[in-house]
Amino acid sequence: MRVAVAGFALAVLVLPAGAVPAGAAAVSVDAAGADLVSLSIADGALSLRIRGAAQVTRQSVGHDPADVTLGPDGGVAVRVPQNTAFAFLGSPGTSIWSLTPGDSGLPMLDTSGVRRGLVRGDAVTLSLTAAEGPGNFTAYTLSSLGAPRPLLGAAAREIALPAATRTPVVWAFDAAGDYRLTLAASATLSTGRTVTTEATYRINVPPIQPGPAAPLPHPAAVGKTPTPLPARAMAAPNAAAAAPTATSSPSPATDANAAAARSAATAARRVISDGHVDMGPQLSGDDWTIRVRDDTASPPVWRELPDVVLHVEDNAKTAVPAGADFLGTPGETIWLLPQAQQAGIVWPGWNTQHESVVTGTRGNVTWTLAGVDGPGRFTLFLTGSFGNANVLFDSAKNLPQRLPIPPNTHAHGNWAFSKPGLYRLAVQMSATTTAGKTVTDSKTLTIAVGDNINPNSGFGGGSSTGGDGKPGNGDSGSTGRLPRTGESWVIPVSAGALLLVLVGALLRIAARRRRPAAAPAGPTA
């Protein structure tokens, strides 16, 4: 059955078990970190493709979905949790199969190839007309605080995807079998001309044999060593790119060739309040340096941390929901940079994809949060496909805290701040080179939170010492204060020195008062 909705269609047709449409190429794509729907506009035409994680990293055009098979591998069988927010998936305990690898590396709906200002309303429309098959198909996303929102399925027939963004998505099925999905997209160019496209997907859902019911949202215990993120987890290209191109991550040679052209830009101080940025290391010989890749510039620029301040404006304010005690008391206001990109809010991630890191190191890169200087609590956490929270860093717990990251990883999480003000995060990244040498660098990442905070006051806050008190390898800029480690505070050096002087003076005065009076001097000869 086909039902037209706003002139576009998404049809779900049932095929006999194991059937493969004639003429379809046998291309298998792992959904982990993939762009399931990648939309771009080039030369006035709208295209819809699917890109595996490696293609996302290279910003490749990707495949025609008709040539791709999704499943039966790469998904996970689970049960609908005891949470009324997920009732659109069925009653609690219902078996479903999710086209995701788990709580990290979620696939994406990608409109990074549709730059802002190119289409009216800065949005591309997708529609659903029918969902017929051995079971129900539902696509949904989650907010940063774990609340699900149906996108396509029985509960929603049409969605508008914001331009130049990437939205994590879960595709869920409640019965095994072969599905064929035809997706259509539409947008109106700024000139007034409407462009459309469609593509056909094929998904093979295996027999659904779930384990225990999925847990309710809960914070992970901090203080344990977090599970390493999968390589290329939630990989994201330049969100401002007009269209995907077959380019790769910057190599040392590329950086050298472009150094002259970018020298002025990299030296300039930059306040970033919107768009995509990543923090990550680079290796040059034995010089290991943490930098920020700024994708708000075109082409992207690697900047020094002391030259960057991230500004979290008041449009990122939200309330702590019930059950999220790792963020504060329910109802309290926090400032939240979400795991999924949102227009008008800076979208920071972490990145070990620089060619020098991929080819020049072995094993994981260790990211350490050594200290937090700020007016409130800082928390970095991931939101899983059923809303469960995996807390990576929490300044209310004992520091330092460490996160192992495989090379060639690109990930995003939720950055939460409990109060407005200036935060300085003492970050350290270390690795082992292929020659067996340990390299470490420490920097200070500065974040201004709130509209009433002048972000320019945050420049110059670099750290020149590693977690062991020794200088880092890279150019760390000026020394920054790192007074807060969990709930304890360390007096800054300058204030401590003054305090010692005052204490010493008071002790000397007290000693004089306790000293007995001296005998009068005798007559001199």
Side-chain angles (χ1 to χ4, degrees), residues 78-224:
V78 293
R79 299 183 188 275
V80 176
Q82 297 282 342
N83 188 333
T84 56
F86 291 90
F88 63 88
L89 291 175
S91 59
T94 299
S95 299
I96 62 172
W97 187 78
S98 172
L99 186 63
T100 66
D103 288 343
S104 59
L106 295 180
M108 295 278 177
L109 303 180
D110 168 50
T111 60
S112 62
V114 182
R115 69 175 185 271
R116 293 175 190 165
L118 185 62
V119 297
R120 290 184 177 177
D122 277 338
V124 180
T125 300
L126 291 177
S127 301
L128 170 65
T129 61
E132 301 174 353
N136 296 309
F137 158 71
T138 305
Y140 67 94
T141 189
L142 294 112
S143 74
S144 300
L145 299 176
R149 179 170 67 93
L151 299 178
L152 296 172
R157 293 290 177 177
E158 182 176 281
I159 58 172
L161 297 176
T165 58
R166 305 185 73 243
T167 304
V169 67
V170 179
W171 282 14
F173 304 82
D174 66 3
D178 291 311
Y179 295 78
R180 187 173 176 175
L181 311 179
T182 301
L183 290 158
S186 173
T188 301
L189 301 178
S190 57
T191 59
R193 184 168 65 89
T194 298
V195 291
T196 62
T197 187
E198 72 173 23
T200 301
Y201 286 71
R202 186 170 67 252
I203 301 170
N204 181 3
V205 178
I208 304 175
Q209 298 175 339
L216 288 172
H218 68 281
V222 175
K224 299 179 180 179

Side-chain angles (χ1 to χ4, degrees), residues 96-365:
I96 62 172
W97 187 78
S98 172
L99 186 63
T100 66
D103 288 343
S104 59
L106 295 180
M108 295 278 177
L109 303 180
D110 168 50
T111 60
S112 62
V114 182
R115 69 175 185 271
R116 293 175 190 165
L118 185 62
V119 297
R120 290 184 177 177
D122 277 338
V124 180
T125 300
L126 291 177
S127 301
L128 170 65
T129 61
E132 301 174 353
N136 296 309
F137 158 71
T138 305
Y140 67 94
T141 189
L142 294 112
S143 74
S144 300
L145 299 176
R149 179 170 67 93
L151 299 178
L152 296 172
R157 293 290 177 177
E158 182 176 281
I159 58 172
L161 297 176
T165 58
R166 305 185 73 243
T167 304
V169 67
V170 179
W171 282 14
F173 304 82
D174 66 3
D178 291 311
Y179 295 78
R180 187 173 176 175
L181 311 179
T182 301
L183 290 158
S186 173
T188 301
L189 301 178
S190 57
T191 59
R193 184 168 65 89
T194 298
V195 291
T196 62
T197 187
E198 72 173 23
T200 301
Y201 286 71
R202 186 170 67 252
I203 301 170
N204 181 3
V205 178
I208 304 175
Q209 298 175 339
L216 288 172
H218 68 281
V222 175
K224 299 179 180 179
T225 301
T227 302
L229 295 173
R232 300 180 302 276
M234 300 187 68
N238 176 13
T245 56
T247 58
S248 61
S249 298
S251 65
T254 302
D255 290 345
N257 293 337
R262 299 185 185 181
S263 59
T266 55
R269 289 177 169 179
R270 184 73 178 259
V271 173
I272 303 175
S273 59
D274 187 13
H276 178 226
V277 297
D278 284 325
M279 182 179 67
Q282 296 178 347
L283 181 66
S284 178
D286 290 334
D287 185 18
W288 174 262
T289 308
I290 304 172
R291 291 191 172 95
V292 169
R293 177 181 162 99
D294 177 9
D295 277 350
T296 68
S298 183
V301 174
W302 284 94
R303 302 185 186 276
E304 303 298 331
L305 262 70
D307 295 332
V308 174
V309 173
L310 304 183
H311 191 194
V312 185
E313 298 176 332
D314 284 349
N315 58 355
K317 289 168 67 173
T318 189
V320 175
D325 55 341
F326 65 100
L327 293 176
T329 303
E332 284 184 340
T333 297
I334 59 172
W335 283 253
L336 187 70
L337 300 179
Q339 182 170 315
Q341 186 176 12
Q342 293 184 11
I345 298 176
V346 64
W347 192 41
W350 52 99
N351 183 324
T352 58
Q353 290 184 310
H354 194 272
E355 183 68 18
S356 64
V357 177
V358 175
T359 62
T361 65
R362 64 189 188 195
N364 293 329
V365 173

Side-chain angles (χ1 to χ4, degrees), residues 419-432:
K419 294 180 181 179
L422 197 65
Y423 290 76
R424 299 189 191 275
L425 311 184
V427 296
Q428 180 186 90
M429 288 187 172
S430 58
T432 301

